[in-house]
Amino acid sequence: MSGSIIGLICIFGMLGMIALRMPIALAMAVTGFVGFGWIVAFEPALSILDSGPFETLSNYSFSPIPMFILMGVFASKAKMSQELFEGARTLFGSWRGGMALAAVTSCGIFSAISGSSMATAASMSRVALPEMEKNGYAKSLASGTLAAGGTLGIMIPPSIALLLYALITEQSVGDMFIAGVIPGLLGLFLYCVTIAIVVMLFPHLAQPGTKTTFAEKIIGLKGLVPFTGVFALIIGGIYTGLFTPTEAASVGAAGTFFIALFRGMQFQQFKESIEETLFMSAMIFFMIIGAEIFGYFLSVSRISFSLVEFVDSMQLTPYMILFCVLLLFILLGCVMDSIAMLLLTVPVVYPLIEAAGFDPIWFGIIAVITVELGLITPPVGMNVFVIKSVAPDIPIKEIFKGVFPFVLSDIVRLGLIIAFPVLSLGLL
């Protein structure tokens, strides 16, 4: 039996384990071990289990992950999101739908130091959702805005998804972060346009807020300064070569810590921040270990090469291949966590993208945007369930209803970046 056939059998077995609710990290590790042992031998497969996790966890390239997580957790525990929302609210609050604009803008700025979509959605929802409901916003618009705004955390640097993609495909982490700036800001801009269109077509969904003077708007900007300062420090340091990504993560975490300390963070909050960071980092590293073991199996099975040969025999154009891959991402994104999906699929489809001649950094941006869609599309929509956990009184169907216009917005952004690669590659 050829390695490719064994590979397909093992992959279908892995999908079956995932369907039976086995953790994706464990399913990848089991598949990688069994598949490698079946094709090569079980003695070297045991050696991989012995040395693989240590080699992965001691890899210096993965060290920015806990630092970027810690940076976002410090910001959340110190309740910096509340001041951020209030600052944005003074800028837009007097407009119809202005509070929704303030919420999505706050999500975009908060995600710039959080790096996590779910952390962004959870932190901003606790602050903004009660205020929007109190001011007469429809539950669908309020919850949908925050669920969609949280997805900006996966694209605006520093993004853990961009970091993992760069490490999987051996691209420059700094280049991936720089390439994500314009697409991330474009997503924020299109979300604001989406809100403006929705409230123009359905004015009953939102109410105008209290007018603020020019002086109040200037004072309100102080809530945005710490976030933009840390973001500028990280991206500016990477872009100018002053910091490596690892150094930038450490500087960002230290900067956020001192800001949180200055704003009155207590020792208990510091302790909780460390515990939460360790918990989230352990989950991600467990998935990385599973993906590494799975990668050994993919290498010896040669299933990726067989897939390239099969696609080549079908004589598909490069863009037909790209759309097939993106369709796969959208379908898997509906039922799977975004980071797990990247770790599972990118090693398989990346050789196809290389063979088609696409720029790997450009494809990485497109892949992450497509993963974003999975965060707000049924039946899973991780960010939708984050909002549901914060506001259990809002029906799931109302949140999905509110998110729908933002899904269309993301599709427009995806089309623009596919049509105009300069949007992601122009800063490199």
Side-chain angles (χ1 to χ4, degrees):
M1 191 180 296
S2 70
S4 297
I5 294 175
I6 293 173
L8 286 174
I9 292 171
C10 290
I11 287 175
F12 279 117
M14 179 180 65
L15 295 176
M17 287 186 281
I18 293 172
L20 293 173
R21 303 292 183 92
M22 177 182 285
I24 293 174
L26 186 57
M28 287 192 291
V30 169
T31 302
F33 171 73
V34 172
F36 190 94
W38 191 351
I39 295 170
V40 181
F42 279 98
E43 187 173 343
L46 287 170
S47 297
I48 291 174
L49 285 184
D50 179 45
S51 60
F54 174 78
E55 291 175 0
T56 300
L57 295 178
S58 60
N59 188 337
Y60 181 74
S61 301
F62 292 122
S63 57
I65 293 175
M67 289 294 99
F68 282 136
I69 293 173
L70 182 61
M71 185 166 58
V73 174
F74 276 149
S76 178
K77 292 294 182 183
K79 297 183 179 179
M80 294 162 67
S81 54
Q82 185 167 357
E83 188 170 346
L84 174 62
F85 176 68
E86 290 301 325
R89 185 178 177 178
T90 61
L91 297 178
F92 305 111
S94 60
W95 305 353
R96 183 178 294 276
M99 201 171 287
L101 290 173
V104 81
T105 302
S106 301
C107 285
I109 297 173
F110 188 85
S111 67
I113 67 168
S114 170
S116 167
S117 293
M118 289 188 287
T120 300
S123 297
M124 295 310 308
S125 295
R126 292 188 183 97
V127 173
L129 191 57
E131 291 295 318
M132 294 171 75
E133 290 183 320
K134 187 169 67 176
N135 283 269
Y137 278 68
K139 292 180 185 289
S140 58
L141 177 61
S143 58
T145 296
L146 290 163
T151 65
L152 295 169
I154 203 173
M155 174 56 68
I156 296 180
S159 160
I160 294 172
L162 290 177
L163 172 63
L164 288 175
Y165 174 86
L167 296 175
I168 294 168
T169 58
E170 299 181 351
Q171 302 301 313
S172 165
V173 174
D175 285 351
M176 285 303 309
F177 281 176
I178 298 302
V181 172
I182 292 178
L185 295 177
L186 178 62
L188 175 57
F189 171 75
L190 290 176
Y191 280 1
C192 290
V193 171
T194 300
I195 292 169
I197 292 172
V198 168
V199 298
M200 182 178 66
L201 295 176
F202 308 100
H204 65 282
L205 295 178
Q207 303 298 323
T210 306
K211 290 186 178 181
T212 53
T213 65
F214 180 75
E216 288 173 327
K217 294 182 189 295
I218 296 298
I219 293 171
L221 288 175
K222 71 177 184 180
L224 282 60
V225 171
F227 291 86
T228 53
V230 172
F231 174 74
L233 182 64
I234 293 171
I235 298 303
I238 293 175
Y239 190 72
T240 59
L242 184 62
F243 303 139
T244 66
T246 301
E247 292 166 345
S250 302
V251 168
T256 310
F257 168 70
F258 286 118
I259 292 171
L261 202 61
F262 179 75
R263 292 172 185 268
M265 185 177 70
Q266 303 298 316
F267 178 76
Q268 182 62 29
Q269 293 171 312
F270 173 77
K271 180 182 175 184
E272 290 172 357
S273 298
I274 300 298
E275 290 173 349
E276 188 172 332
T277 300
L278 290 172
F279 178 74
M280 294 173 66
S281 299
M283 287 196 302
I284 292 175
F285 278 115
F286 186 27
M287 285 193 284
I288 292 172
I289 290 170
E292 287 284 324
I293 297 171
F294 184 67
Y296 282 111
F297 154 67
L298 286 179
S299 178
V300 298
S301 70
R302 298 185 62 83
I303 193 169
S304 297
F305 297 100
S306 299
L307 184 60
V308 170
E309 292 171 2
F310 173 72
V311 171
D312 189 52
S313 69
M314 296 177 66
Q315 298 184 329
L316 298 177
T317 66
Y319 279 96
M320 289 173 67
I321 296 170
L322 177 66
F323 288 129
C324 288
V325 170
L326 295 183
L327 179 62
L328 172 66
F329 279 4
I330 290 173
L331 293 175
L332 288 178
C334 292
V335 296
M336 191 178 292
D337 173 71
S338 56
I339 290 179
M341 193 185 81
L342 281 174
L343 292 171
L344 180 64
T345 58
V346 168
V348 178
V349 302
Y350 184 68
L352 280 177
I353 298 302
E354 275 192 314
F358 291 116
D359 186 283
I361 291 179
W362 174 76
F363 172 72
I365 299 299
I366 291 173
V368 171
I369 291 175
T370 310
V371 167
E372 277 188 63
L373 280 169
L375 291 172
I376 52 176
T377 50
V380 176
M382 297 294 290
N383 274 20
V384 170
F385 285 91
V386 168
I387 303 299
K388 178 66 176 175
S389 68
V390 174
D393 60 304
I394 302 179
I396 284 288
K397 68 176 183 179
E398 283 294 306
I399 306 177
F400 278 122
K401 179 182 174 183
V403 144
F404 179 71
F406 298 99
V407 173
L408 297 180
S409 173
D410 271 340
I411 292 173
V412 170
R413 176 171 51 149
L414 187 61
L416 286 173
I417 293 175
I418 291 173
F420 304 103
V422 69
L423 291 174
S424 57
L425 302 177
L427 295 179
L428 299 179

